[in-house]
Amino acid sequence: MNTEDVIRTFVEYFEERGHRRTTGSTLLPPPGDPVLFTTSGMHPLTPYLEGRPHPLGNRLVNVQRCLRTTDLEEVGDLTHLTVFEMLGTWSLGDYEGPRSLSWGYELLTEGFGIDPGLLHATVFGGDDQVGLDTASLEVWQERGVPVELTVEDNWWDNGPTGPCGPDSEFFLWTGEGPPRSTPTRDDRWVEVWNHVMMRHRKLPDGSLVPLPQRNVDTGLGLERLASLLQGRTSVFECDVFTPWRRLVPPLWPLDEATLRLVCDHLRSAMVVIGDGVRPANTGRGYVLRRLVRRLLTALWRDDPSRTVGDLPDELFLHTRDHFRQETGLDEVRRVLCEEERRFLGLLERGRQVLARPRFRGPLDEEDFHYLHDTHGLPRELVVNLRQQ
């Protein structure tokens, strides 16, 4: 199954069960939203989870592109991406957790053909405010799926306040031989699908009050699921990265971890630019700038002559078409190349400043502040330059 097959199977399954497909928005939240980028499929639906009627009804399904900077340091491993797509379903005060979990189990085992013996579940074990999620536990026990009870790992919230609730997660065994241990004790169990029973609102003092309606919010990473269904050990080996793995290594010989980071950050930067963001020193523009500088730092580690201007058109077109964007190829390439030239100038200025006698010894906080405020040299860049 390629990713388009996965999307079609997922959406049609839930449409047959009364869900209406919503249009996946861009990475940019609506005006006035304090979050820089959409981080999950539920983010644009927050008002409806809190009780506002949705124009399409109370059963929804969609495919939402997301960006998470919280995972930035983990990009380059087998499972994390900066920009990714999230398959999601919602019950807005309609059905509850057991039905959602039963449908999820059926789709994974019958729709996607996953061996039930390779599944493990986790369930919220209860704390001093909310008890054990017995309804979810019973679903798994009836199907013979092993269950691990946790507390913090199975409680979902989107910040210090707002909608929250216990969740139950599906894990798939990716190791050789029969499954062993549990998801919290063996990382060969890979999280596939999270079902959140969103029933509470967290207040600033940490207390919980009931939401006006009892919701279910589920999220399933498209690239992660596709890689597992395709028998791959890494999200970077699923079909959406096929052109990257074919075209980048002959252009830039890189070790595997660096190849993953460079491909991820380049692809993510293309998507962010395609959604209308331009490099800047604050906000969304700074996230884009940081992505470009991180990939260039990795790219130039072995060969400073490498340039994003060498990238073939196919990678720009593939990314634009996959994410159904309209920004022209030349515009995306122009923004990347301009940012590369700007970074080259900053590096040269940084080397000259750091060569001064004042900065040859250990740097303290006052030095870092001075270098940033006076010369525009961020801490991360200063540290990298001193390591060269």
Side-chain angles (χ1 to χ4, degrees):
M1 266 193 183
N2 62 33
T3 49
E4 293 303 318
D5 295 329
V6 173
I7 291 172
R8 184 176 62 256
T9 300
F10 181 87
V11 172
E12 289 180 355
Y13 178 89
F14 283 100
E15 285 180 334
E16 290 170 359
R17 287 154 182 79
H19 294 67
R20 301 282 299 279
R21 182 170 181 175
T22 66
T23 302
S25 66
T26 72
L27 290 172
L28 309 186
D33 194 312
V35 177
L36 292 178
F37 292 99
T38 298
T39 59
S40 66
M42 64 78 65
H43 188 91
L45 296 172
T46 301
Y48 308 104
L49 292 165
E50 293 186 333
R52 182 191 301 175
H54 194 283
L56 294 179
N58 54 14
R59 294 186 182 188
L60 306 175
V61 59
N62 87 345
V63 184
Q64 171 69 51
R65 59 177 173 268
C66 307
L67 185 152
R68 290 184 184 170
T69 57
T70 53
D71 295 334
L72 209 55
E73 298 301 328
E74 298 185 63
V75 170
D77 67 3
L78 300 179
T79 60
H80 288 88
L81 298 169
T82 306
V83 168
F84 60 96
E85 290 184 281
M86 184 72 79
L87 306 173
T89 65
W90 292 269
S91 164
L92 304 176
D94 188 349
Y95 59 84
E96 295 204 32
R99 178 176 290 187
S100 181
L101 293 174
S102 296
W103 279 342
Y105 177 83
E106 181 181 281
L107 176 57
L108 289 183
T109 56
E110 299 179 19
F112 291 127
I114 292 175
D115 180 354
L118 298 179
L119 291 175
H120 203 300
T122 60
V123 167
F124 182 68
D127 60 17
D128 57 358
Q129 292 196 79
V130 179
L132 168 68
D133 183 2
T134 55
S136 296
L137 180 61
E138 289 171 0
V139 170
W140 296 122
Q141 290 174 334
E142 290 170 2
R143 284 157 181 76
V145 176
V147 177
E148 181 178 23
L149 300 179
T150 82
V151 177
E152 291 184 4
D153 289 344
N154 282 97
W155 181 266
W156 188 94
D157 58 46
N158 199 31
T161 61
C164 58
D167 65 43
S168 183
E169 300 176 0
F170 294 71
F171 286 81
L172 179 63
W173 177 251
T174 61
E176 295 183 3
R180 290 194 267 168
S181 192
T182 66
T184 64
R185 296 175 182 155
D186 194 322
D187 60 11
R188 289 174 294 180
W189 287 108
V190 175
E191 180 191 341
V192 178
W193 200 351
N194 189 11
H195 290 235
V196 181
M197 285 41 106
M198 200 173 291
R199 306 163 184 159
H200 310 278
R201 179 186 288 112
K202 184 189 291 186
L203 302 180
D205 64 1
S207 62
L208 303 177
V209 296
L211 285 172
Q213 61 192 25
R214 294 166 68 88
N215 310 295
V216 181
D217 160 32
T218 86
L220 173 64
L222 172 62
E223 295 86 353
R224 187 177 297 185
L225 176 62
S227 65
L228 294 170
L229 294 176
Q230 293 165 18
R232 307 298 184 182
T233 58
S234 162
V235 290
F236 294 95
E237 295 175 359
C238 75
D239 63 293
V240 294
F241 280 97
T242 297
W244 291 88
R245 299 197 73 91
R246 173 169 52 84
L247 295 170
V248 173
L251 181 65
W252 303 322
L254 302 166
D255 64 77
E256 180 62 25
T258 305
L259 175 65
R260 294 172 187 166
L261 185 146
V262 167
C263 289
D264 169 87
H265 283 17
L266 269 170
R267 179 174 177 264
S268 299
M270 290 176 184
V271 179
V272 174
I273 294 168
D275 274 355
V277 178
R278 296 296 178 264
N281 289 328
T282 59
R284 297 185 182 109
Y286 182 70
V287 173
L288 173 58
R289 175 159 286 166
R290 189 177 177 208
L291 284 173
V292 176
R293 289 179 177 179
R294 280 172 59 90
L295 77 88
L296 289 173
T297 299
L299 194 60
W300 292 338
R301 194 172 293 130
D302 299 325
D303 185 353
S305 69
R306 293 167 176 164
T307 172
V308 296
D310 293 336
L311 285 169
D313 289 350
E314 182 179 342
L315 294 179
F316 291 87
L317 292 171
H318 178 267
T319 302
R320 184 190 68 182
D321 293 346
H322 178 78
F323 287 96
R324 296 170 176 82
Q325 295 178 307
E326 297 180 357
T327 305
L329 176 155
D330 291 341
E331 171 66 7
V332 178
R333 186 188 292 276
R334 181 192 66 77
V335 173
L336 285 173
C337 289
E338 279 190 4
E339 188 61 18
E340 180 182 74
R341 286 193 292 272
R342 188 177 291 109
F343 188 43
L344 277 170
L346 182 63
L347 287 175
E348 181 57 33
R349 186 167 73 252
R351 292 188 184 100
Q352 293 175 4
V353 172
L354 292 176
R356 298 173 184 175
R358 170 181 174 178
F359 304 115
R360 289 177 184 170
L363 301 181
D364 56 25
E365 286 301 313
E366 183 179 347
D367 293 323
F368 280 113
H369 285 302
Y370 171 81
L371 290 167
H372 180 271
D373 296 342
T374 305
H375 299 283
L377 301 174
R379 177 189 295 262
E380 184 178 28
L381 176 61
V382 171
V383 172
N384 286 337
L385 285 173
R386 285 171 60 89
Q387 291 173 344
Q388 293 178 5

